[in-house]
Amino acid sequence: LACTSGEVETMFATAHRHQRWLMEAFMYRFHPQMPAICAQIPSLGRILHVNSKRMSRGREAGNPRYDVNAGGGALMDIGCYCVDFSRAVFGTEPAGVHATAHFGPTGVDLTLTGTLNFADTGVAQFCCSFESEPSYGAEIVGTEGRILIPHPWMPPVWPTEFQVVRANKSETVRVLPPAVPQHILTPFVLELEYFAACVRDHHPPTLVSEANSRGNMRAIEALRAAATARDGA
């Protein structure tokens, strides 16, 4: 696991030097639900607030997710999805961040709540956890409507659904499955197929770009620093 911006830069530099493609594995971006959500965002007006969560029980003792030197912690493992989602919705980088966390005995964050301020545009808040009853979801609120997403990361049912609310009227958007097995792990299949096509056709990954990975890591580092500073205060 890469756990600093410097390590991310080294990985991409190494890939370029050896003429290889490198892509961050955000599988939820490849589920057909995500482009369907993005298509609805312009109709919401100015985005005011994004709220997301990815919370669940932790892994077995000794798992590298609990190793602070291996890039462990809830933020790096699952909160990164919330950070990436928020940045994708606002379409820009946060101007500032705040975070609080509960750290475990190995030094990693077991639960972290973060806020990303997007200048004068709006705010994103999220929570990620290794010590919670499973809880997932996301909401995008704009001046002209909002989107409620029950399963933003790995939808367990097909076709998946989300709600768009405008003028107090709710519309259910159903996203039909692609031509792959209808399974909760389908986003991983679509992700692998996309990356294989990039390699085969000799073009860089753009759906999850190199610039996006750099931006996401900078936001994560800022959140982690904010949480650590608050914990030590």
Side-chain angles (χ1 to χ4, degrees):
L1 294 174
C3 54
T4 68
S5 293
E7 288 170 346
V8 169
E9 292 292 343
T10 298
M11 291 169 66
F12 278 113
T14 302
H16 289 313
R17 186 166 61 252
H18 293 280
Q19 299 183 339
R20 297 291 187 267
W21 299 129
L22 178 65
M23 183 183 78
E24 191 167 7
F26 279 131
M27 78 292 173
Y28 82 98
R29 290 245 191 159
F30 298 86
H31 192 290
Q33 173 180 252
M34 189 59 181
I37 292 168
C38 291
Q40 296 282 346
I41 291 176
S43 70
L44 302 182
R46 182 167 60 87
I47 302 302
L48 303 173
H49 188 259
V50 173
N51 184 53
S52 61
K53 55 184 175 178
R54 189 170 182 185
M55 308 170 72
S56 61
R57 298 293 180 192
R59 306 298 181 105
E60 70 284 354
N63 189 287
R65 289 170 175 83
Y66 295 104
D67 185 347
V68 69
N69 295 316
L75 174 62
M76 280 291 290
D77 187 43
I78 52 181
C80 59
Y81 291 87
C82 300
V83 176
D84 183 73
F85 180 80
S86 300
R87 292 173 52 257
V89 171
F90 280 104
T92 186
E93 301 299 335
V97 305
H98 303 279
T100 60
H102 170 226
F103 291 90
T106 65
V108 303
D109 53 296
L110 300 180
T111 297
L112 185 141
T113 300
T115 299
L116 299 96
N117 299 307
F118 290 89
D120 296 329
T121 307
V123 174
Q125 294 176 309
F126 72 93
C127 189
C128 56
S129 181
F130 282 163
E131 52 185 356
S132 165
E133 185 70 17
S135 182
Y136 313 99
E139 181 180 24
I140 306 169
V141 182
T143 55
E144 304 298 328
R146 62 192 177 105
I147 299 176
L148 300 164
I149 312 159
H151 300 287
W153 320 122
M154 291 193 298
V157 295
W158 297 84
T160 189
E161 298 179 348
F162 61 91
Q163 281 72 48
V164 180
V165 182
R166 301 185 189 89
N168 291 320
K169 294 181 180 180
S170 180
E171 170 195 0
T172 298
V173 178
R174 305 187 78 198
V175 182
L176 297 176
V180 294
Q182 299 177 25
H183 193 276
I184 192 171
L185 298 181
T186 292
F188 292 96
V189 175
L190 299 174
E191 178 182 61
L192 289 170
E193 288 181 343
Y194 173 84
F195 189 73
C198 291
V199 173
R200 182 178 60 249
D201 299 334
H202 306 290
H203 65 78
T206 56
L207 189 54
V208 182
S209 68
E210 180 176 336
N212 181 79
S213 295
R214 288 194 174 103
N216 215 52
M217 191 67 240
R218 287 193 297 269
I220 287 172
E221 280 190 320
L223 286 160
R224 186 166 49 189
T228 302
R230 188 180 181 91
D231 182 67

